[in-house]
Amino acid sequence: MSDKAKIGAGLAIFVLLAAFPIWYPLVFGGAVSLPEREPPRDGSHCIEANMVARHMDLLNRWQNAVVRGEGGPQYYQSEDYPGERYEMSLTKTCLKCHGIESRTGGTISCSECHTYANVEIRCWDCHLDAKGN
Amino acid sequence: MDQNRRSFLKKAGRTALGVGCGFPLLGSGCSALKQGSTDAAASPIQWAMVIDVRKCLKKEVRDACTEACHRAHNVPKIPDPEEEVKWIWTEQYEHVFADQAHEHTEAVMKGAPVLVLCNHCTKPSCVRVCPTRATWKRKSDGVVMMDMHRCIGCRYCIAACPYGARSFNWRDPRAHIARDENNQLPSDYPTRSKGVVEKCNFCADRIRLAAKPVPACVEAANSVPGGQGALTFGDLRDPDSEVCRILNEKHTICRRLSLGTGPNVFYIV
């Protein structure tokens, strides 16, 4: 049965091609690893415990509350850390720790995770990092 | 009573006609009542401005106002008039007060430059047409606000505004904002992006926290020699405010009053 070899070779080529995304980074390296998140060095914490999952929803709500509010600062009551109150402000609250570029040399900037997740954020088309750009 | 088929059909027809005519009347009556109630529940503060046209005849005063405003809000300077972005700028008297100017207008006013900006109308037509509510009249102080996150760039508001107070960003504005020697923009105010509409916001960011709010243009005018009192800002609802005092004492005019938008920028000519 000479066809057996042909079929076997065809299958092997198919599997090799189909599995390309799996073996390519293993063989040639260059796999993009999940950005390592660095906890704050001064023992502080973010406004909620799981901000990786929650920040987009929170930012959306803050944006609506502040931009469409009646003027004057607005405050956010932390749910995970009872009694803690934060001003709803990207530049005054979030960017105090999270810069457009990381402030600690670590991995807490917005772009590190968003580049990894291929999520394009358009905040910086308009908003400026505190004092200037 | 003799009730035959013919008279029954006649009565039914009249009833149908009566109900058909009555509903629209009822509807418009209801909406008129509603309109009345929203007018009654007017904002507790209504910011307004009085512009003394004669004091603004000096170029330095007008330039100082525009410069201060455009710096404070990172407004780009685009030379092409088709694409320029303006918050407060200068127009000829005849164009600003098209319905007031006539061939015997006093010589000093003919062709005189007049400062113009968003009128923060009591009944803003731009707000009525916005399909996404990206622009609205703030209830607390009557400022006509813009939410750049929501603006989809349809430009209905530009078409609706009878004062030409709105500008569209045809291109990325950041390339046209003058930067200082450290490559920093003039202000921390967010720039806009390509594809949104913008206009004067009565310095909503400045006035929301101040005890005695003064927009950037008013402050700039007051700092120029001869420009003191060229622009006055204040609350129309407060009878003791400076704007109310001036409106009581002097003859002032508004732009295109007949349209019923209720402009809140007044001119002493």
mmCIF file of all heavy atoms in Angstrom, chain A residues 63-64 66-73 87 92 122-133, chain B residues 74 133 136 138-140 145 147 149-150 174 179 183-185 187-193 208-209:
data_model
loop_
_atom_site.group_PDB
_atom_site.id
_atom_site.type_symbol
_atom_site.label_atom_id
_atom_site.label_comp_id
_atom_site.label_asym_id
_atom_site.label_seq_id
_atom_site.Cartn_x
_atom_site.Cartn_y
_atom_site.Cartn_z
ATOM 1 N N GLN A 63 -16.106 58.953 33.981
ATOM 2 C CA GLN A 63 -16.136 59.901 32.875
ATOM 3 C C GLN A 63 -17.523 60.524 32.741
ATOM 4 O O GLN A 63 -17.667 61.739 32.629
ATOM 5 C CB GLN A 63 -15.757 59.157 31.599
ATOM 6 C CG GLN A 63 -15.892 59.961 30.333
ATOM 7 C CD GLN A 63 -16.079 59.062 29.146
ATOM 8 O OE1 GLN A 63 -15.229 58.242 28.845
ATOM 9 N NE2 GLN A 63 -17.206 59.175 28.492
ATOM 10 N N ASN A 64 -18.558 59.679 32.771
ATOM 11 C CA ASN A 64 -19.909 60.202 32.650
ATOM 12 C C ASN A 64 -20.281 61.078 33.831
ATOM 13 O O ASN A 64 -20.896 62.124 33.675
ATOM 14 C CB ASN A 64 -20.913 59.060 32.511
ATOM 15 C CG ASN A 64 -21.030 58.624 31.075
ATOM 16 O OD1 ASN A 64 -20.928 59.440 30.171
ATOM 17 N ND2 ASN A 64 -21.222 57.343 30.865
ATOM 18 N N VAL A 66 -18.375 62.842 35.840
ATOM 19 C CA VAL A 66 -17.673 64.119 35.925
ATOM 20 C C VAL A 66 -18.021 65.022 34.747
ATOM 21 O O VAL A 66 -18.414 66.173 34.926
ATOM 22 C CB VAL A 66 -16.141 63.896 36.000
ATOM 23 C CG1 VAL A 66 -15.411 65.219 35.957
ATOM 24 C CG2 VAL A 66 -15.795 63.141 37.270
ATOM 25 N N VAL A 67 -17.922 64.475 33.530
ATOM 26 C CA VAL A 67 -18.140 65.322 32.353
ATOM 27 C C VAL A 67 -19.590 65.785 32.277
ATOM 28 O O VAL A 67 -19.872 66.931 31.954
ATOM 29 C CB VAL A 67 -17.752 64.563 31.061
ATOM 30 C CG1 VAL A 67 -18.053 65.393 29.838
ATOM 31 C CG2 VAL A 67 -16.286 64.203 31.096
ATOM 32 N N ARG A 68 -20.505 64.892 32.597
ATOM 33 C CA ARG A 68 -21.915 65.235 32.451
ATOM 34 C C ARG A 68 -22.547 65.648 33.772
ATOM 35 O O ARG A 68 -23.757 65.787 33.858
ATOM 36 C CB ARG A 68 -22.665 64.055 31.842
ATOM 37 C CG ARG A 68 -22.032 63.543 30.563
ATOM 38 C CD ARG A 68 -22.838 62.469 29.915
ATOM 39 N NE ARG A 68 -24.064 62.986 29.334
ATOM 40 C CZ ARG A 68 -24.128 63.562 28.150
ATOM 41 N NH1 ARG A 68 -23.071 63.680 27.418
ATOM 42 N NH2 ARG A 68 -25.274 64.012 27.687
ATOM 43 N N GLY A 69 -21.733 65.816 34.795
ATOM 44 C CA GLY A 69 -22.249 66.222 36.102
ATOM 45 C C GLY A 69 -22.562 67.706 36.144
ATOM 46 O O GLY A 69 -22.520 68.396 35.136
ATOM 47 N N GLU A 70 -22.852 68.187 37.315
ATOM 48 C CA GLU A 70 -23.263 69.585 37.455
ATOM 49 C C GLU A 70 -22.094 70.478 37.850
ATOM 50 O O GLU A 70 -22.294 71.566 38.388
ATOM 51 C CB GLU A 70 -24.392 69.688 38.483
ATOM 52 C CG GLU A 70 -25.668 68.982 38.060
ATOM 53 C CD GLU A 70 -26.264 69.562 36.779
ATOM 54 O OE1 GLU A 70 -26.193 70.787 36.596
ATOM 55 O OE2 GLU A 70 -26.766 68.787 35.964
ATOM 56 N N GLY A 71 -20.893 70.022 37.622
ATOM 57 C CA GLY A 71 -19.729 70.819 38.003
ATOM 58 C C GLY A 71 -19.328 70.491 39.423
ATOM 59 O O GLY A 71 -20.081 69.869 40.175
ATOM 60 N N GLY A 72 -18.120 70.828 39.798
ATOM 61 C CA GLY A 72 -17.643 70.510 41.134
ATOM 62 C C GLY A 72 -17.048 69.113 41.169
ATOM 63 O O GLY A 72 -17.434 68.258 40.388
ATOM 64 N N PRO A 73 -16.099 68.870 42.066
ATOM 65 C CA PRO A 73 -15.456 67.558 42.125
ATOM 66 C C PRO A 73 -16.427 66.488 42.622
ATOM 67 O O PRO A 73 -17.346 66.780 43.374
ATOM 68 C CB PRO A 73 -14.308 67.765 43.118
ATOM 69 C CG PRO A 73 -14.699 68.935 43.927
ATOM 70 C CD PRO A 73 -15.603 69.790 43.092
ATOM 71 N N GLU A 87 -11.131 61.083 44.647
ATOM 72 C CA GLU A 87 -11.721 62.012 43.692
ATOM 73 C C GLU A 87 -11.795 61.322 42.328
ATOM 74 O O GLU A 87 -10.856 60.667 41.899
ATOM 75 C CB GLU A 87 -10.890 63.297 43.587
ATOM 76 C CG GLU A 87 -11.572 64.283 42.650
ATOM 77 C CD GLU A 87 -10.889 65.639 42.562
ATOM 78 O OE1 GLU A 87 -9.975 65.908 43.360
ATOM 79 O OE2 GLU A 87 -11.295 66.413 41.683
ATOM 80 N N LYS A 92 -5.722 63.299 38.477
ATOM 81 C CA LYS A 92 -5.407 63.523 39.886
ATOM 82 C C LYS A 92 -5.389 62.231 40.694
ATOM 83 O O LYS A 92 -4.772 62.168 41.748
ATOM 84 C CB LYS A 92 -6.421 64.487 40.505
ATOM 85 C CG LYS A 92 -6.169 65.915 40.076
ATOM 86 C CD LYS A 92 -7.094 66.847 40.820
ATOM 87 C CE LYS A 92 -7.654 67.894 39.884
ATOM 88 N NZ LYS A 92 -8.932 68.421 40.365
ATOM 89 N N ARG A 122 -7.787 55.196 23.363
ATOM 90 C CA ARG A 122 -7.717 56.483 22.694
ATOM 91 C C ARG A 122 -7.712 57.645 23.678
ATOM 92 O O ARG A 122 -7.862 58.792 23.292
ATOM 93 C CB ARG A 122 -8.891 56.607 21.717
ATOM 94 C CG ARG A 122 -8.817 55.530 20.628
ATOM 95 C CD ARG A 122 -9.801 55.777 19.522
ATOM 96 N NE ARG A 122 -9.708 57.136 19.042
ATOM 97 C CZ ARG A 122 -10.725 57.800 18.511
ATOM 98 N NH1 ARG A 122 -11.870 57.221 18.387
ATOM 99 N NH2 ARG A 122 -10.568 59.027 18.093
ATOM 100 N N CYS A 123 -7.540 57.333 24.971
ATOM 101 C CA CYS A 123 -7.541 58.388 25.988
ATOM 102 C C CYS A 123 -6.520 59.467 25.660
ATOM 103 O O CYS A 123 -6.780 60.652 25.786
ATOM 104 C CB CYS A 123 -7.222 57.814 27.353
ATOM 105 S SG CYS A 123 -8.189 56.380 27.794
ATOM 106 N N TRP A 124 -5.335 59.019 25.226
ATOM 107 C CA TRP A 124 -4.216 59.962 25.085
ATOM 108 C C TRP A 124 -4.274 60.751 23.795
ATOM 109 O O TRP A 124 -3.426 61.595 23.544
ATOM 110 C CB TRP A 124 -2.874 59.228 25.223
ATOM 111 C CG TRP A 124 -2.870 58.333 26.412
ATOM 112 C CD1 TRP A 124 -2.698 56.996 26.422
ATOM 113 C CD2 TRP A 124 -3.082 58.705 27.794
ATOM 114 N NE1 TRP A 124 -2.801 56.507 27.699
ATOM 115 C CE2 TRP A 124 -3.037 57.529 28.553
ATOM 116 C CE3 TRP A 124 -3.327 59.916 28.439
ATOM 117 C CZ2 TRP A 124 -3.216 57.517 29.934
ATOM 118 C CZ3 TRP A 124 -3.507 59.915 29.806
ATOM 119 C CH2 TRP A 124 -3.450 58.729 30.538
ATOM 120 N N ASP A 125 -5.286 60.485 22.960
ATOM 121 C CA ASP A 125 -5.473 61.362 21.803
ATOM 122 C C ASP A 125 -5.784 62.771 22.282
ATOM 123 O O ASP A 125 -5.460 63.751 21.617
ATOM 124 C CB ASP A 125 -6.646 60.865 20.940
ATOM 125 C CG ASP A 125 -6.301 59.575 20.214
ATOM 126 O OD1 ASP A 125 -5.169 59.088 20.388
ATOM 127 O OD2 ASP A 125 -7.164 59.063 19.481
ATOM 128 N N CYS A 126 -6.466 62.852 23.429
ATOM 129 C CA CYS A 126 -6.881 64.160 23.937
ATOM 130 C C CYS A 126 -6.278 64.455 25.303
ATOM 131 O O CYS A 126 -5.754 65.531 25.540
ATOM 132 C CB CYS A 126 -8.399 64.237 24.053
ATOM 133 S SG CYS A 126 -9.235 64.013 22.482
ATOM 134 N N HIS A 127 -6.382 63.509 26.215
ATOM 135 C CA HIS A 127 -5.923 63.768 27.578
ATOM 136 C C HIS A 127 -4.411 63.838 27.630
ATOM 137 O O HIS A 127 -3.719 63.161 26.876
ATOM 138 C CB HIS A 127 -6.441 62.688 28.524
ATOM 139 C CG HIS A 127 -7.902 62.823 28.789
ATOM 140 N ND1 HIS A 127 -8.408 63.693 29.736
ATOM 141 C CD2 HIS A 127 -8.962 62.234 28.212
ATOM 142 C CE1 HIS A 127 -9.724 63.609 29.730
ATOM 143 N NE2 HIS A 127 -10.086 62.745 28.821
ATOM 144 N N LEU A 128 -3.936 64.670 28.537
ATOM 145 C CA LEU A 128 -2.496 64.883 28.673
ATOM 146 C C LEU A 128 -2.047 64.309 29.997
ATOM 147 O O LEU A 128 -2.771 64.375 30.979
ATOM 148 C CB LEU A 128 -2.190 66.381 28.644
ATOM 149 C CG LEU A 128 -2.728 67.113 27.415
ATOM 150 C CD1 LEU A 128 -2.790 68.595 27.681
ATOM 151 C CD2 LEU A 128 -1.857 66.830 26.221
ATOM 152 N N ASP A 129 -0.841 63.775 29.997
ATOM 153 C CA ASP A 129 -0.255 63.363 31.257
ATOM 154 C C ASP A 129 -0.084 64.634 32.074
ATOM 155 O O ASP A 129 0.135 65.698 31.508
ATOM 156 C CB ASP A 129 1.110 62.714 30.991
ATOM 157 C CG ASP A 129 1.507 61.777 32.105
ATOM 158 O OD1 ASP A 129 0.774 61.717 33.109
ATOM 159 O OD2 ASP A 129 2.547 61.111 31.972
ATOM 160 N N ALA A 130 -0.197 64.527 33.388
ATOM 161 C CA ALA A 130 -0.139 65.719 34.239
ATOM 162 C C ALA A 130 1.019 66.616 33.808
ATOM 163 O O ALA A 130 2.101 66.127 33.487
ATOM 164 C CB ALA A 130 0.032 65.294 35.682
ATOM 165 N N LYS A 131 0.792 67.879 33.799
ATOM 166 C CA LYS A 131 1.674 68.972 33.373
ATOM 167 C C LYS A 131 2.303 68.758 31.989
ATOM 168 O O LYS A 131 3.439 68.345 31.828
ATOM 169 C CB LYS A 131 2.754 69.286 34.420
ATOM 170 C CG LYS A 131 3.565 68.091 34.872
ATOM 171 C CD LYS A 131 4.616 68.420 35.870
ATOM 172 C CE LYS A 131 5.507 67.208 36.069
ATOM 173 N NZ LYS A 131 4.881 65.946 35.787
ATOM 174 N N GLY A 132 1.528 69.051 31.000
ATOM 175 C CA GLY A 132 2.050 69.126 29.643
ATOM 176 C C GLY A 132 1.573 68.013 28.741
ATOM 177 O O GLY A 132 0.479 68.081 28.227
ATOM 178 N N ASN A 133 2.400 67.017 28.557
ATOM 179 C CA ASN A 133 2.010 65.987 27.601
ATOM 180 C C ASN A 133 1.939 64.610 28.240
ATOM 181 O O ASN A 133 2.771 63.790 28.070
ATOM 182 C CB ASN A 133 3.006 65.960 26.447
ATOM 183 C CG ASN A 133 3.134 67.325 25.855
ATOM 184 O OD1 ASN A 133 2.228 67.820 25.239
ATOM 185 N ND2 ASN A 133 4.258 67.970 26.088
ATOM 186 N N ASN B 74 -6.012 75.041 24.917
ATOM 187 C CA ASN B 74 -5.252 74.344 23.880
ATOM 188 C C ASN B 74 -5.983 74.356 22.537
ATOM 189 O O ASN B 74 -6.127 73.318 21.887
ATOM 190 C CB ASN B 74 -4.965 72.896 24.301
ATOM 191 C CG ASN B 74 -3.846 72.810 25.312
ATOM 192 O OD1 ASN B 74 -2.970 73.671 25.361
ATOM 193 N ND2 ASN B 74 -3.873 71.767 26.129
ATOM 194 N N ARG B 133 -26.750 63.549 22.465
ATOM 195 C CA ARG B 133 -26.699 64.370 23.680
ATOM 196 C C ARG B 133 -25.253 64.634 24.097
ATOM 197 O O ARG B 133 -24.921 64.607 25.278
ATOM 198 C CB ARG B 133 -27.463 63.722 24.829
ATOM 199 C CG ARG B 133 -28.919 63.588 24.472
ATOM 200 C CD ARG B 133 -29.783 63.440 25.703
ATOM 201 N NE ARG B 133 -31.154 63.186 25.290
ATOM 202 C CZ ARG B 133 -32.099 62.746 26.087
ATOM 203 N NH1 ARG B 133 -31.828 62.504 27.347
ATOM 204 N NH2 ARG B 133 -33.315 62.560 25.647
ATOM 205 N N TRP B 136 -25.284 69.670 25.846
ATOM 206 C CA TRP B 136 -26.476 69.840 26.675
ATOM 207 C C TRP B 136 -26.312 71.106 27.510
ATOM 208 O O TRP B 136 -25.210 71.649 27.602
ATOM 209 C CB TRP B 136 -26.690 68.619 27.579
ATOM 210 C CG TRP B 136 -25.727 68.521 28.719
ATOM 211 C CD1 TRP B 136 -25.949 68.889 30.012
ATOM 212 C CD2 TRP B 136 -24.369 68.035 28.679
ATOM 213 N NE1 TRP B 136 -24.826 68.654 30.772
ATOM 214 C CE2 TRP B 136 -23.847 68.148 29.982
ATOM 215 C CE3 TRP B 136 -23.564 67.535 27.659
ATOM 216 C CZ2 TRP B 136 -22.537 67.772 30.296
ATOM 217 C CZ3 TRP B 136 -22.263 67.165 27.982
ATOM 218 C CH2 TRP B 136 -21.771 67.282 29.289
ATOM 219 N N ARG B 138 -26.223 72.711 31.011
ATOM 220 C CA ARG B 138 -26.021 72.253 32.383
ATOM 221 C C ARG B 138 -27.047 72.894 33.301
ATOM 222 O O ARG B 138 -27.216 74.113 33.303
ATOM 223 C CB ARG B 138 -24.600 72.602 32.833
ATOM 224 C CG ARG B 138 -24.180 71.890 34.084
ATOM 225 C CD ARG B 138 -22.689 71.737 34.161
ATOM 226 N NE ARG B 138 -22.025 72.966 34.546
ATOM 227 C CZ ARG B 138 -20.707 73.070 34.726
ATOM 228 N NH1 ARG B 138 -19.935 72.015 34.539
ATOM 229 N NH2 ARG B 138 -20.170 74.202 35.067
ATOM 230 N N LYS B 139 -27.731 72.040 34.093
ATOM 231 C CA LYS B 139 -28.844 72.529 34.914
ATOM 232 C C LYS B 139 -28.368 73.436 36.031
ATOM 233 O O LYS B 139 -29.061 74.357 36.424
ATOM 234 C CB LYS B 139 -29.607 71.332 35.511
ATOM 235 C CG LYS B 139 -30.457 70.612 34.497
ATOM 236 C CD LYS B 139 -31.746 70.080 35.135
ATOM 237 C CE LYS B 139 -32.676 69.492 34.086
ATOM 238 N NZ LYS B 139 -32.086 68.294 33.430
ATOM 239 N N SER B 140 -27.177 73.177 36.550
ATOM 240 C CA SER B 140 -26.752 73.934 37.730
ATOM 241 C C SER B 140 -26.412 75.377 37.404
ATOM 242 O O SER B 140 -26.612 76.257 38.232
ATOM 243 C CB SER B 140 -25.555 73.251 38.381
ATOM 244 O OG SER B 140 -24.491 73.170 37.465
ATOM 245 N N MET B 145 -22.759 72.774 27.543
ATOM 246 C CA MET B 145 -21.567 71.937 27.680
ATOM 247 C C MET B 145 -21.369 71.047 26.452
ATOM 248 O O MET B 145 -22.280 70.833 25.667
ATOM 249 C CB MET B 145 -21.712 71.040 28.914
ATOM 250 C CG MET B 145 -21.877 71.773 30.214
ATOM 251 S SD MET B 145 -20.333 72.499 30.752
ATOM 252 C CE MET B 145 -19.375 71.033 31.104
ATOM 253 N N ASP B 147 -19.619 67.111 25.536
ATOM 254 C CA ASP B 147 -18.953 65.884 25.968
ATOM 255 C C ASP B 147 -18.259 65.309 24.738
ATOM 256 O O ASP B 147 -18.907 64.716 23.880
ATOM 257 C CB ASP B 147 -19.982 64.894 26.535
ATOM 258 C CG ASP B 147 -19.340 63.611 27.055
ATOM 259 O OD1 ASP B 147 -18.138 63.411 26.803
ATOM 260 O OD2 ASP B 147 -20.041 62.822 27.704
ATOM 261 N N HIS B 149 -16.395 62.850 24.437
ATOM 262 C CA HIS B 149 -16.416 61.392 24.332
ATOM 263 C C HIS B 149 -17.619 60.924 23.526
ATOM 264 O O HIS B 149 -17.597 59.865 22.925
ATOM 265 C CB HIS B 149 -16.473 60.753 25.724
ATOM 266 C CG HIS B 149 -15.398 61.237 26.658
ATOM 267 N ND1 HIS B 149 -15.620 62.234 27.574
ATOM 268 C CD2 HIS B 149 -14.113 60.878 26.794
ATOM 269 C CE1 HIS B 149 -14.505 62.444 28.242
ATOM 270 N NE2 HIS B 149 -13.572 61.641 27.790
ATOM 271 N N ARG B 150 -18.688 61.707 23.565
ATOM 272 C CA ARG B 150 -19.909 61.277 22.902
ATOM 273 C C ARG B 150 -20.084 61.845 21.510
ATOM 274 O O ARG B 150 -20.904 61.354 20.749
ATOM 275 C CB ARG B 150 -21.117 61.731 23.726
ATOM 276 C CG ARG B 150 -21.436 60.783 24.816
ATOM 277 C CD ARG B 150 -22.909 60.891 25.138
ATOM 278 N NE ARG B 150 -23.152 60.310 26.429
ATOM 279 C CZ ARG B 150 -24.342 60.179 26.953
ATOM 280 N NH1 ARG B 150 -25.390 60.616 26.313
ATOM 281 N NH2 ARG B 150 -24.491 59.642 28.136
ATOM 282 N N ARG B 174 -3.580 68.677 17.504
ATOM 283 C CA ARG B 174 -2.341 68.786 18.279
ATOM 284 C C ARG B 174 -1.180 69.321 17.447
ATOM 285 O O ARG B 174 -0.298 69.993 17.970
ATOM 286 C CB ARG B 174 -1.957 67.434 18.865
ATOM 287 C CG ARG B 174 -2.723 67.160 20.123
ATOM 288 C CD ARG B 174 -2.018 66.172 21.004
ATOM 289 N NE ARG B 174 -2.883 65.821 22.111
ATOM 290 C CZ ARG B 174 -2.600 64.897 22.997
ATOM 291 N NH1 ARG B 174 -1.484 64.215 22.907
ATOM 292 N NH2 ARG B 174 -3.437 64.647 23.979
ATOM 293 N N ARG B 179 3.817 74.928 20.909
ATOM 294 C CA ARG B 179 4.391 74.381 22.131
ATOM 295 C C ARG B 179 5.508 75.277 22.623
ATOM 296 O O ARG B 179 6.084 76.036 21.839
ATOM 297 C CB ARG B 179 4.941 72.968 21.874
ATOM 298 C CG ARG B 179 3.836 71.964 21.630
ATOM 299 C CD ARG B 179 4.388 70.667 21.091
ATOM 300 N NE ARG B 179 3.321 69.750 20.723
ATOM 301 C CZ ARG B 179 2.923 68.736 21.485
ATOM 302 N NH1 ARG B 179 3.501 68.493 22.636
ATOM 303 N NH2 ARG B 179 1.939 67.950 21.098
ATOM 304 N N ASN B 183 8.645 71.668 24.674
ATOM 305 C CA ASN B 183 7.704 70.863 23.900
ATOM 306 C C ASN B 183 6.411 70.572 24.662
ATOM 307 O O ASN B 183 5.759 69.554 24.439
ATOM 308 C CB ASN B 183 8.366 69.564 23.443
ATOM 309 C CG ASN B 183 7.667 68.988 22.218
ATOM 310 O OD1 ASN B 183 7.117 69.745 21.410
ATOM 311 N ND2 ASN B 183 7.659 67.676 22.097
ATOM 312 N N GLN B 184 6.065 71.469 25.591
ATOM 313 C CA GLN B 184 4.833 71.287 26.354
ATOM 314 C C GLN B 184 3.723 72.140 25.726
ATOM 315 O O GLN B 184 3.971 73.217 25.193
ATOM 316 C CB GLN B 184 5.028 71.751 27.798
ATOM 317 C CG GLN B 184 6.142 71.040 28.536
ATOM 318 C CD GLN B 184 5.707 69.694 29.069
ATOM 319 O OE1 GLN B 184 4.785 69.604 29.861
ATOM 320 N NE2 GLN B 184 6.363 68.648 28.617
ATOM 321 N N LEU B 185 2.498 71.638 25.826
ATOM 322 C CA LEU B 185 1.357 72.410 25.346
ATOM 323 C C LEU B 185 1.085 73.541 26.330
ATOM 324 O O LEU B 185 1.487 73.463 27.497
ATOM 325 C CB LEU B 185 0.134 71.501 25.220
ATOM 326 C CG LEU B 185 0.246 70.406 24.156
ATOM 327 C CD1 LEU B 185 -0.928 69.459 24.253
ATOM 328 C CD2 LEU B 185 0.313 71.017 22.770
ATOM 329 N N SER B 187 -1.432 74.420 28.031
ATOM 330 C CA SER B 187 -2.265 74.168 29.203
ATOM 331 C C SER B 187 -2.482 72.678 29.398
ATOM 332 O O SER B 187 -2.229 71.873 28.504
ATOM 333 C CB SER B 187 -3.606 74.905 29.013
ATOM 334 O OG SER B 187 -4.684 74.122 29.413
ATOM 335 N N ASP B 188 -2.967 72.298 30.588
ATOM 336 C CA ASP B 188 -3.268 70.896 30.874
ATOM 337 C C ASP B 188 -4.644 70.482 30.372
ATOM 338 O O ASP B 188 -5.024 69.323 30.491
ATOM 339 C CB ASP B 188 -3.196 70.643 32.388
ATOM 340 C CG ASP B 188 -1.774 70.352 32.836
ATOM 341 O OD1 ASP B 188 -0.930 70.099 31.960
ATOM 342 O OD2 ASP B 188 -1.506 70.413 34.047
ATOM 343 N N TYR B 189 -5.395 71.440 29.847
ATOM 344 C CA TYR B 189 -6.741 71.146 29.347
ATOM 345 C C TYR B 189 -6.644 70.116 28.212
ATOM 346 O O TYR B 189 -5.798 70.249 27.339
ATOM 347 C CB TYR B 189 -7.379 72.439 28.845
ATOM 348 C CG TYR B 189 -8.859 72.335 28.609
ATOM 349 C CD1 TYR B 189 -9.756 72.468 29.657
ATOM 350 C CD2 TYR B 189 -9.358 72.094 27.337
ATOM 351 C CE1 TYR B 189 -11.118 72.370 29.434
ATOM 352 C CE2 TYR B 189 -10.717 71.989 27.106
ATOM 353 C CZ TYR B 189 -11.583 72.131 28.164
ATOM 354 O OH TYR B 189 -12.932 72.019 27.946
ATOM 355 N N PRO B 190 -7.496 69.079 28.226
ATOM 356 C CA PRO B 190 -7.396 68.059 27.177
ATOM 357 C C PRO B 190 -7.571 68.671 25.791
ATOM 358 O O PRO B 190 -8.443 69.520 25.607
ATOM 359 C CB PRO B 190 -8.555 67.114 27.484
ATOM 360 C CG PRO B 190 -8.942 67.373 28.886
ATOM 361 C CD PRO B 190 -8.567 68.782 29.186
ATOM 362 N N THR B 191 -6.746 68.243 24.849
ATOM 363 C CA THR B 191 -6.948 68.698 23.476
ATOM 364 C C THR B 191 -8.121 67.914 22.909
ATOM 365 O O THR B 191 -8.636 67.015 23.568
ATOM 366 C CB THR B 191 -5.700 68.430 22.623
ATOM 367 O OG1 THR B 191 -5.471 67.022 22.593
ATOM 368 C CG2 THR B 191 -4.484 69.119 23.200
ATOM 369 N N ARG B 192 -8.545 68.257 21.723
ATOM 370 C CA ARG B 192 -9.610 67.492 21.099
ATOM 371 C C ARG B 192 -8.991 66.551 20.067
ATOM 372 O O ARG B 192 -7.803 66.645 19.786
ATOM 373 C CB ARG B 192 -10.627 68.430 20.420
ATOM 374 C CG ARG B 192 -11.731 68.898 21.344
ATOM 375 C CD ARG B 192 -11.255 69.808 22.452
ATOM 376 N NE ARG B 192 -10.668 71.047 21.983
ATOM 377 C CZ ARG B 192 -9.972 71.878 22.727
ATOM 378 N NH1 ARG B 192 -9.753 71.603 23.997
ATOM 379 N NH2 ARG B 192 -9.467 72.981 22.233
ATOM 380 N N SER B 193 -9.810 65.672 19.511
ATOM 381 C CA SER B 193 -9.287 64.781 18.482
ATOM 382 C C SER B 193 -9.954 65.119 17.160
ATOM 383 O O SER B 193 -10.938 65.863 17.121
ATOM 384 C CB SER B 193 -9.550 63.325 18.858
ATOM 385 O OG SER B 193 -10.923 63.106 18.947
ATOM 386 N N ARG B 208 -16.117 76.358 37.965
ATOM 387 C CA ARG B 208 -16.859 75.427 38.818
ATOM 388 C C ARG B 208 -16.364 75.450 40.262
ATOM 389 O O ARG B 208 -17.096 75.095 41.166
ATOM 390 C CB ARG B 208 -16.811 74.016 38.255
ATOM 391 C CG ARG B 208 -15.460 73.355 38.336
ATOM 392 C CD ARG B 208 -15.550 71.911 37.917
ATOM 393 N NE ARG B 208 -14.398 71.177 38.416
ATOM 394 C CZ ARG B 208 -14.260 69.871 38.338
ATOM 395 N NH1 ARG B 208 -15.201 69.152 37.809
ATOM 396 N NH2 ARG B 208 -13.190 69.282 38.814
ATOM 397 N N LEU B 209 -15.123 75.846 40.483
ATOM 398 C CA LEU B 209 -14.603 75.813 41.844
ATOM 399 C C LEU B 209 -14.420 77.200 42.457
ATOM 400 O O LEU B 209 -14.308 77.338 43.662
ATOM 401 C CB LEU B 209 -13.258 75.081 41.872
ATOM 402 C CG LEU B 209 -13.334 73.586 41.592
ATOM 403 C CD1 LEU B 209 -11.950 72.983 41.542
ATOM 404 C CD2 LEU B 209 -14.168 72.897 42.668
#
